[in-house]
């Protein structure tokens, strides 16, 4: 990673050079009374880019995959541990949707209000029509902390997992479907 501010901040940034998209996330979290730690860094578009961020924040950044069916009539946001590999067939059988593929950047912008590399569970605040079904690996709910971007991949947040599931998601009206994804990645 080119740049990482090693300072961990409590709450929202004080500078005024943030995008409206990112500020909207902080506004909502603050309004909901959800506390968080923040780390600023250069663009982190992949899980591999987040390794140092994870070490500094002490949390695994979630992998977020924006998926759709072949007809592009059903859209899904899959949230899973970053270390796990994604197997389409495994997920398809659990949710009863064959031929899943990655949805495009246009659909991502239209439905979630974010660009590739910046998608996170927090983008569901922009899905006011509930066109995106949230899918969550069961393992995520077992962790005490949840790591994600604030709809922009130049910052990362550490939030209590219970705040995501008990406060944030009820506010957005998104009901997760829990799935079990295999952990077939070799251990380092």
């Amino acid at each position: 990673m080119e740049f990482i501010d090693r300072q961990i901040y409590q709450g929202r940034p004080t500078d005024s050079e943030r995008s409206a998209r990112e500020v909207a996330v902080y506004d909502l979290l603050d309004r909901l009374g959800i506390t968080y730690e923040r780390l600023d860094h250069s663009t982190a578009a992949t899980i591999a880019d987040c390794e140092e961020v994870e070490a500094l924040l002490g949390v695994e950044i979630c992998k977020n995959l924006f998926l759709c069916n072949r007809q592009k009539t059903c859209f899904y946001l899959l949230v899973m541990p970053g270390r796990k590999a994604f197997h389409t067939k495994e997920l398809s059988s659990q949710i009863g949707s064959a031929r899943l593929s990655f949805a495009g950047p246009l659909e991502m912008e239209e439905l979630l209000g974010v660009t590739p590399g910046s998608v996170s569970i927090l983008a569901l605040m922009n899905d006011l029509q509930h066109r995106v079904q949230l899918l969550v690996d069961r393992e995520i709910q077992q962790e005490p902390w949840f790591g994600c971007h604030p709809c922009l991949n130049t910052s990362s947040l550490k939030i209590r997992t219970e705040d995501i599931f008990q406060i944030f998601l009820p506010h957005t009206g998104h009901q997760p479907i829990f799935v079990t994804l295999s952990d077939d990645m070799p251990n380092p």
Side-chain angles (χ1 to χ4, degrees):
M1 180 168 292
E2 291 177 29
F3 163 77
I4 188 164
D5 180 349
R6 302 181 78 74
Q7 171 71 40
I8 296 175
Y9 298 94
Q10 302 296 318
R12 70 185 312 124
T14 55
D15 62 57
S16 60
E17 298 178 15
R18 303 292 173 138
S19 74
R21 190 174 283 175
E22 184 180 5
V23 170
V25 170
Y26 301 133
D27 288 346
L28 179 58
L29 293 177
D30 291 349
R31 197 166 58 250
L32 295 175
I34 296 175
T35 59
Y36 50 94
E37 293 181 356
R38 188 187 85 254
L39 192 67
D40 297 325
H41 45 76
S42 56
T43 301
T46 66
I47 290 298
D49 294 341
C50 293
E51 287 179 10
E52 190 174 0
V53 169
E54 291 177 333
L56 289 168
L57 276 178
V59 66
E60 183 176 16
I61 302 297
C62 294
K63 185 183 292 185
N64 300 272
L65 303 177
F66 187 51
L67 307 167
C68 64
N69 62 356
R70 185 172 67 175
Q71 300 83 7
K72 294 190 177 185
T73 56
C74 296
F75 293 90
Y76 306 93
L77 175 60
L78 172 63
V79 180
M80 61 188 287
R83 72 182 181 295
K84 286 188 176 183
F86 172 61
H87 302 288
T88 308
K89 185 177 180 181
E90 179 181 41
L91 179 63
S92 292
S93 66
Q94 290 183 55
I95 65 170
S97 179
R99 301 193 185 230
L100 288 176
S101 64
F102 291 100
L106 294 176
E107 291 92 353
M108 184 182 293
E109 179 76 37
E110 176 189 339
L111 299 175
L112 294 175
V114 295
T115 56
S118 293
V119 69
S120 81
I121 200 167
L122 298 177
L124 291 173
M125 66 184 268
N126 300 318
D127 180 29
L128 302 178
Q129 296 179 349
H130 300 99
R131 292 184 54 203
V132 178
Q133 174 61 58
L134 175 63
L135 308 173
V136 179
D137 185 306
R138 282 184 174 82
E139 193 175 312
I140 294 289
Q141 196 176 23
Q142 305 306 314
E143 295 298 321
W145 298 101
F146 190 92
C148 62
H149 296 309
C151 295
L152 193 67
N153 59 6
T154 54
S155 291
S156 295
L157 304 180
K158 178 180 178 179
I159 303 172
R160 282 192 298 276
T161 303
E162 67 185 44
D163 288 347
I164 293 292
F165 288 99
Q166 294 175 11
I167 300 172
F168 178 79
L169 290 176
H171 172 78
T172 68
H174 288 83
Q175 292 288 330
I177 293 175
F178 291 97
V179 296
T180 302
L181 303 175
S182 60
D183 191 358
D184 60 359
M185 299 291 287
N187 291 331

